[in-house]
Amino acid sequence: MELTPQAEAQLRTEIQQAMQAQGDAVLPQGVLDICKHKEMVLQFIDILVGLLPGVIGKLAGKAIKIAAETWFSSKCR
């Protein structure tokens, strides 16, 4: 089971809206260091979500990946 492209787009939109509602106050002090290592962080997330079992794990894993990618694209410019 996979998320449809429409579901992925909706998820990205909802994540961006949630991040905008929080504002920049939630940014950790070392955010730029995290941005420098974006690929390593995303690879680590891939490993973690790969350990989630079953269909629920695949859907949740995809949502987690989308959330991380959206966060990086928004905060690391």
Side-chain angles (χ1 to χ4, degrees):
M1 180 176 247
E2 296 282 328
L3 291 175
T4 65
Q6 295 83 6
E8 288 185 27
Q10 180 64 31
L11 188 55
R12 289 181 198 283
T13 300
E14 290 177 12
I15 292 166
Q16 287 174 340
Q17 290 171 348
M19 288 175 17
Q20 288 173 352
Q22 290 178 341
D24 288 338
V26 298
L27 288 177
Q29 286 185 344
V31 72
L32 294 179
D33 291 336
I34 293 170
C35 292
K36 290 177 187 175
H37 302 289
K38 171 186 171 183
E39 292 305 318
M40 282 180 52
V41 172
L42 291 175
Q43 288 173 356
F44 178 68
I45 290 171
D46 279 340
I47 291 168
L48 289 179
V49 299
L51 298 174
L52 298 172
V55 174
I56 301 289
K58 287 184 181 182
L59 294 176
K62 184 67 173 180
I64 291 167
K65 288 184 201 179
I66 290 171
E69 291 166 355
T70 303
W71 187 90
F72 275 111
S73 68
S74 173
K75 303 295 182 184
C76 301
R77 295 179 189 157

